[in-house]
Amino acid sequence: MHMRCFTGACAIAALCTLGVAAQGRKTERVVIVTMDGARWQEVFGGLDESLLRDAAPTDTDLVKTAAYRRFWAATPEARREALMPFLWRTLARDGVIAGNRPRGSTVTVSNGYRFSYPGYSELLTGQAHDDVIRSNDAIRNPFPSVLQFARRKLNLPASKVATFASWGVLSSIVENKAGDTTVNAGLQPYESPSPLMKSLSLLQQETPVPWDNIRHDAYTFDFALDYLKREQPTLMLIAFDEMDDWAHDGKYELVLDALHRADHYLEVLWGALQSDAFYRGRTTLIVTADHGRGRTTGTWRRHGQSVDGADEIWLAIASPDVTMRGEWAPNSALFQNQIAATIAALLGLDYREQNPDAGRPLPVWPAASK
Ligand SMILES: [Zn+2]
């Protein structure tokens, strides 16, 4: 059954309000990129001088840091472009970005925990389940995800819906039945005919990581890109983690490095999508975070129930179906639990079939509803 709207006659009212029309919808593939605990403060404002002063208290120390030399500029707009040039010069120009709170645009997690498992689960299932999902332990998610829903509704083989994640626990979160989709997470070996990938898969085991069940984002991205080119998944999640890990360690300079690298990965990913006829002109890219973190010099390292600001996230969408450009119009209140239904709607599906209690799709198609 096709969940589509027709001029003057609408099978599914909710999709009509989004303006996803039968002929209008161009999206056939969706790629989601997550940056674990990436604060909206850096995404919209770049380097935060007060946080860098933790490690470099005097002016002399500050200007000597590599981070200051690379990412400092006089205005928030110039700083964010220095930190995430691709996000701001290309994605926000060809798409839309929400979550700039000083300008009245908010994206908020609805779960009460404000840490990773509940965040990714809310993002992928469309609903917070605070009574059930309450830890970051590697316990199988009892709720099915939009990844599984899309695979089933579109009759796709498991190879066409894929997750590549730096954090190993994602393999428990993204599907309620192991093997429903393709998952490569944590230090899991990656199998590919490519000799380079074989080497990288071995090397990741030998590259010391200061954290448990997490690999460096460079491996995650290289494996994901190899898989994308080889298998051409219809729906893909690439989940980076280092920005969160370095923040917990209090290494602000390394958080900035991780964000800058992730921005470069986005650029390479975007280039790969645009140079492949399977993806070009019919792929939506969604970039977001699982949770925010503290707002102050005392709390930016942390997130969780008791940390003010840890429920504040952001999201960017570049899509042939989304005509909004630049920063999302002010005074919009968006929620993480709307992303799953948005992914489904982009693929022509009504997520209420799987979860009637999920957040409604984001209103990202205003021009099409004219
Ligand atoms: Zn964390």
Side-chain angles (χ1 to χ4, degrees):
M1 184 171 151
H2 291 272
M3 300 300 156
R4 290 176 175 178
C5 299
F6 301 91
T7 315
C10 187
I12 302 295
L15 291 187
C16 259
T17 63
L18 298 175
V20 181
Q23 292 84 8
R25 187 174 59 81
K26 297 193 186 79
T27 297
E28 292 174 56
R29 340 278 182 213
V30 175
V31 180
I32 311 138
V33 174
T34 53
M35 301 187 188
D36 199 294
R39 300 193 323 154
W40 64 264
Q41 287 90 338
E42 275 74 29
V43 171
F44 291 97
L47 185 160
D48 182 333
E49 188 189 323
S50 67
L51 305 193
L52 194 54
R53 276 187 187 275
D54 264 8
T58 71
D59 284 352
T60 322
D61 294 337
L62 188 76
V63 298
K64 274 194 220 153
T65 62
Y68 190 90
R69 290 199 306 270
R70 292 170 75 196
F71 304 130
W72 178 253
T75 66
E77 290 76 17
R79 286 198 296 278
R80 71 194 187 188
E81 265 199 48
L83 184 64
M84 305 185 84
F86 178 74
L87 181 73
W88 284 104
R89 288 180 201 147
T90 303
L91 275 194
R93 190 196 64 206
D94 294 349
V96 61
I97 182 163
N100 194 353
R101 288 182 176 249
R103 293 185 59 167
S105 168
T106 69
V107 190
T108 309
V109 306
S110 66
N111 73 75
Y113 292 108
R114 307 169 178 182
F115 56 77
S116 288
Y117 195 133
Y120 290 113
S121 181
E122 179 179 336
L123 194 164
L124 294 169
T125 68
Q127 192 180 0
H129 290 279
D130 283 358
D131 47 339
V132 179
I133 302 204
R134 39 200 316 156
S135 86
N136 271 346
D137 296 344
I139 299 163
R140 176 69 49 197
N141 197 333
F143 306 100
S145 68
V146 67
L147 305 178
Q148 295 170 279
F149 176 70
R151 187 205 155 185
R152 180 161 55 82
K153 296 300 292 183
L154 300 174
N155 289 315
L156 299 168
S159 63
K160 292 289 184 183
V161 177
T163 297
F164 283 77
S166 296
W167 186 37
V169 178
L170 256 303
S171 55
S172 303
I173 303 174
V174 300
E175 53 189 11
N176 71 341
K177 190 167 150 274
D180 242 15
T181 65
T182 298
V183 185
N184 183 284
L187 288 163
Q188 190 180 333
Y190 172 59
E191 283 166 29
S192 165
S194 151
L196 174 60
M197 291 304 132
K198 285 192 173 92
S199 298
L200 287 180
S201 182
L202 291 172
L203 190 62
Q204 68 164 340
Q205 312 288 343
E206 296 175 28
T207 308
V209 185
W211 320 291
D212 252 1
N213 201 12
I214 293 168
R215 71 176 158 217
H216 289 292
D217 291 339
Y219 294 105
T220 298
F221 182 66
D222 282 357
F223 297 158
L225 191 67
D226 175 75
Y227 192 86
L228 181 103
K229 290 176 176 173
R230 235 165 16 85
E231 297 286 344
Q232 297 185 313
T234 298
L235 180 53
M236 188 175 207
L237 167 65
I238 305 173
F240 298 125
D241 209 78
E242 281 186 56
M243 47 294 289
D244 182 73
D245 306 307
W246 293 123
H248 284 297
D249 292 350
K251 309 273 191 201
Y252 189 60
E253 286 205 61
L254 296 181
V255 173
L256 299 174
D257 283 349
L259 290 171
H260 190 65
R261 274 199 309 279
D263 181 77
H264 173 67
Y265 297 146
L266 283 179
E267 181 174 17
V268 175
L269 172 68
W270 189 250
L273 295 173
Q274 301 316 310
S275 62
D276 182 339
F278 182 81
Y279 292 107
R280 185 174 47 243
R282 43 184 171 162
T283 300
T284 292
L285 175 62
I286 300 175
V287 188
T288 186
D290 56 332
H291 56 73
R293 37 192 352 107
R295 303 187 187 107
T296 68
T297 49
T299 62
W300 69 272
R301 295 171 189 78
R302 294 183 287 118
H303 55 88
Q305 251 174 319
S306 62
V307 178
D308 285 344
D311 56 337
E312 301 170 355
I313 59 167
W314 55 279
L315 71 89
I317 301 181
S319 168
D321 296 308
V322 176
T323 53
M324 295 165 77
R325 292 289 175 267
E327 292 206 44
W328 198 292
N331 303 314
S332 60
L334 312 177
F335 292 89
Q336 187 175 46
N337 65 17
Q338 298 180 269
I339 298 173
T342 304
I343 294 164
L346 285 160
L347 293 168
L349 305 171
D350 184 347
Y351 194 63
R352 285 175 301 184
E353 270 188 63
Q354 171 158 286
N355 185 356
D357 298 321
R360 306 304 308 128
L362 296 164
V364 285
W365 295 275
S369 61
K370 274 180 210 155

